């Protein structure tokens, strides 16, 4: 006899959706998280009355009505539209690359003028078979867009020169020949009113949750506590890194309270020159149109990841994907354990995709095929 039907390791979005649905269908669940709070990476800390996105800025966006309706059970969403700004030296551009960007860069007005300018600059590079990311970006967008908006930012993100990065990282450049600064193409977008932590709180209502509890310690004392474990931590850590560690890129945040009500006039400002050490500054209040007297900003520094650090972005190159595949094979043999979420699946998932993955897995469980 087990005390719980399910032990859910991780109270991030994946774990919370699983717990919510399983609880709803009458299963007894226990959720544990090694952090001292729930909500995983979408956790927001309240500073000066502002929801500060502690693990990076999160904007919910989806094209799926099913997922949008699902999320709207737990919160109403505001009408925030992500429209980042890029700063290169003393020049300021709208993102994503659109007519506002091109007009500012070249003093032009029409889509045809922009297309002609890009085609001219692409032709000038003379690159036909790009050998690295720099050549790829130049051959797709020409010199100005590459040097002012892509080069420095990408080099900071990857911690390497664009000439040393593979061309396949950039498949195409999302040029938009309209005056439209909306970063996402999705039908639905917004920030939950009340913040993300409240969404997860609502998902976990009526479910036993223990924070500050690490699975690997907990398991020693409670090996048979649940019939099934849903594990959303790192898959390689679960197996004691026996085949080696999967690689990640990490991000360091420097958060500061400022004694002014509006620092940069936009939630997201990218710094695209290499000499500025951070990649972006996030001003959190603008996600929720905040009117507080003070403001909170976070500078984001992209960094190398080492075991023990916060893992953010999986490095989905050939070497790591091969290693992941081996861990996945081990995972399949593990009885009564379901691996999921961004760390369990070693995959970059946007929030809508992680909710979708959880709902799909629940269907499998219902159909008796874990
Ligand atoms: C910087 C950044 C920005 C992002 N921005 C966006 C965005 O704008 N829009 C968007 O849609 N998506 C965004 N995402 C993706 C989004 O964060 C993920 O889709 C989502 O948070 C994944 O949820 P999860 O439950 O899989 O993982 P997590 O939220 O990481 O949850 C996993 C949980 O498991 C816990 N855990 C791990 N190991 C153990 C253990 N051994 N014992 C106990 N607990 C453990 C962790 O503490 C954590 O709370 C962003 C991601 C990053 C990194």
């Amino acid at each position: 006899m087990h005390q719980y039907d399910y032990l859910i390791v991780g109270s991030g979005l994946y774990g919370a959706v699983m717990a919510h649905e399983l609880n709803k269908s009458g299963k007894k669940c226990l959720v544990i998280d090694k952090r001292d709070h729930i909500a995983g990476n979408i956790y927001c800390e309240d500073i000066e009355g502002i929801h500060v996105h502690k693990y990076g800025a999160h904007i919910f966006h989806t094209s799926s009505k099913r997922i949008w309706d699902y999320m709207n059970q737990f919160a109403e969403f505001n009408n925030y539209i992500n429209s980042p700004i890029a700063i290169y030296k003393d020049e300021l551009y709208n993102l994503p690359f659109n007519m506002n960007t091109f007009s500012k860069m070249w003093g032009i007005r029409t889509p045809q003028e922009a297309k002609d300018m890009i085609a001219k600059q692409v032709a000038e590079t003379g690159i036909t078979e790009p050998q690295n990311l720099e050549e790829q970006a130049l051959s797709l967008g020409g010199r100005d867009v590459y040097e002012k908006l892509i080069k420095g930012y990408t080099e900071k993100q990857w911690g390497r020169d664009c000439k040393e990065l593979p061309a396949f990282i950039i498949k195409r450049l999302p040029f938009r020949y309209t005056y439209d600064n909306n970063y996402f193409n999705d039908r639905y977008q917004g920030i939950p009113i009340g913040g993300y932590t409240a969404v997860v709180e609502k998902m976990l209502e009526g479910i036993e949750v223990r924070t500050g509890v690490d699975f690997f310690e907990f398991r020693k004392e409670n090996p048979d506590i649940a019939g099934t474990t849903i594990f959303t931590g790192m898959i390689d850590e679960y197996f004691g890194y026996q085949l080696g560690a999967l690689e990640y890129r990490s991000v360091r945040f420097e958060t500061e309270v400022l004694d002014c009500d509006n620092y940069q006039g936009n939630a997201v400002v990218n710094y695209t020159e290499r000499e500025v050490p951070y990649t972006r500054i996030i001003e959190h209040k603008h996600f929720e149109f905040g009117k507080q007297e003070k403001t909170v900003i976070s500078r984001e520094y992209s960094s190398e990841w080492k075991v023990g650090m916060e893992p953010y972005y999986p490095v989905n190159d050939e070497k790591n994907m091969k290693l992941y595949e081996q861990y996945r094979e081990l995972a399949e043999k593990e009885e009564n354990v379901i691996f999921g979420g961004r760390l369990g699946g070693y995959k970059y998932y946007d929030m809508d995709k992680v909710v979708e993955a959880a709902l799909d897995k629940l269907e499998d469980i219902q159909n008796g095929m874990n």
Side-chain angles (χ1 to χ4, degrees):
M1 275 300 286
H2 303 288
Q3 213 177 321
Y4 298 90
D5 296 311
Y6 286 90
L7 169 66
I8 295 155
V9 181
S11 62
L13 203 45
Y14 189 93
V17 170
M18 295 300 267
H20 180 81
E21 293 301 323
L22 289 166
N23 181 57
K24 213 164 77 179
S25 65
K27 302 292 181 198
K28 196 170 177 212
C29 299
L30 170 65
V31 177
I32 60 168
D33 202 297
K34 66 178 177 185
R35 291 177 178 163
D36 63 2
H37 59 74
I38 58 161
N41 275 12
I42 61 172
Y43 171 73
C44 292
E45 193 175 5
D46 198 315
I47 305 178
E48 299 290 340
I50 297 165
H51 293 132
V52 172
H53 299 209
K54 186 166 174 171
Y55 302 95
H58 279 76
I59 300 127
F60 192 86
H61 58 97
T62 187
S63 291
S64 161
K65 181 152 171 27
R66 172 193 180 215
I67 301 303
W68 181 248
D69 289 345
Y70 185 81
M71 290 301 287
N72 273 265
Q73 296 177 79
F74 305 103
E76 199 182 323
F77 282 70
N78 73 12
N79 58 335
Y80 175 80
I81 297 284
N82 195 33
S83 313
I85 299 283
I87 292 185
Y88 174 78
K89 304 203 167 159
D90 54 357
E91 299 167 26
L92 189 148
Y93 296 101
N94 288 107
L95 294 175
F97 311 129
N98 72 81
M99 284 306 298
N100 289 305
T101 327
F102 306 140
S103 166
K104 182 85 179 278
M105 196 170 276
W106 300 312
I108 51 128
R109 277 193 211 169
T110 66
Q112 194 54 53
E113 285 175 297
K115 285 180 186 168
D116 290 347
M117 179 60 97
I118 290 165
K120 177 173 160 277
Q121 292 204 2
V122 165
E124 279 166 10
T125 68
I127 299 165
T128 48
E129 281 180 39
Q131 299 300 311
N132 54 48
L133 190 145
E134 172 165 303
E135 292 185 2
Q136 173 80 336
L138 283 168
S139 72
L140 290 169
R143 188 154 296 278
D144 284 344
V145 170
Y146 171 66
E147 288 198 339
K148 294 185 177 193
L149 299 177
I150 298 173
K151 183 177 189 301
Y153 194 84
T154 309
E155 291 183 343
K156 285 190 281 190
Q157 260 190 328
W158 289 95
R160 270 193 277 164
D161 201 280
C162 282
K163 288 195 191 77
E164 293 163 22
L165 288 165
F168 75 80
I169 293 180
I170 296 184
K171 292 199 171 64
R172 56 179 205 96
L173 291 177
F175 287 155
R176 197 183 273 167
Y177 295 100
T178 52
Y179 287 91
D180 176 5
N181 296 327
N182 180 354
Y183 194 77
F184 298 115
N185 290 315
D186 288 312
R187 168 79 178 79
Y188 308 101
Q189 179 173 180
I191 305 285
I193 295 169
Y196 287 100
T197 314
V199 168
V200 175
E201 257 163 25
K202 203 156 176 202
M203 286 177 173
L204 295 176
E205 243 166 40
I207 299 167
E208 189 180 342
V209 179
R210 298 188 207 165
T211 53
V213 176
D214 187 280
F215 170 69
F216 301 107
E217 288 302 311
F218 184 78
R219 183 171 59 173
K220 284 184 207 157
E221 307 281 311
N222 306 279
D224 298 316
I225 198 164
T228 303
T229 298
I230 297 176
F231 184 79
T232 74
M234 293 159 72
I235 190 168
D236 52 351
E237 188 180 16
Y238 182 94
F239 291 106
Y241 303 106
Q242 58 181 270
L243 307 169
L246 290 162
E247 290 175 315
Y248 288 86
R249 289 291 296 168
S250 198
V251 188
R252 181 170 62 82
F253 302 99
E254 261 178 29
T255 296
E256 208 182 323
V257 178
L258 300 179
D259 221 350
C260 69
D261 67 342
N262 187 2
Y263 173 69
Q264 61 185 15
N266 204 41
V268 182
V269 177
N270 291 8
Y271 285 80
T272 58
E273 60 186 284
R274 181 137 187 197
E275 290 67 32
V276 176
Y278 39 86
T279 49
R280 310 196 293 184
I281 297 183
I282 303 300
E283 188 169 9
H284 302 268
K285 70 190 312 178
H286 295 308
F287 288 122
E288 300 183 53
F289 317 112
K291 299 276 180 285
Q292 298 85 351
E293 279 177 19
K294 295 192 181 180
T295 195
V296 182
I297 60 164
S298 299
R299 293 187 180 81
E300 295 187 2
Y301 299 82
S302 184
S303 73
E304 206 67 51
W305 175 84
K306 301 212 168 57
V307 174
M309 281 170 80
E310 208 53 76
Y312 281 103
Y313 298 104
V315 181
N316 294 126
D317 60 10
E318 210 176 306
K319 181 181 100 187
N320 283 288
M321 289 318 288
K322 241 184 189 162
L323 185 55
Y324 167 66
E325 212 33 58
Q326 290 173 291
Y327 277 119
R328 203 182 58 77
E329 279 166 23
L330 285 182
E332 266 177 16
K333 291 186 200 128
E334 197 74 358
E335 273 180 30
N336 302 322
V337 184
I338 295 168
F339 292 80
R342 64 183 194 97
L343 301 170
Y346 191 62
K347 183 169 176 184
Y348 179 85
Y349 281 113
D350 273 331
M351 288 180 276
D352 61 327
K353 296 291 185 290
V354 100
V355 172
E356 192 168 48
L359 294 177
D360 289 350
K361 181 52 82 177
L362 283 155
E363 264 178 36
D364 289 351
I365 293 173
Q366 255 177 2
N367 298 331
M369 29 186 251
N370 282 359

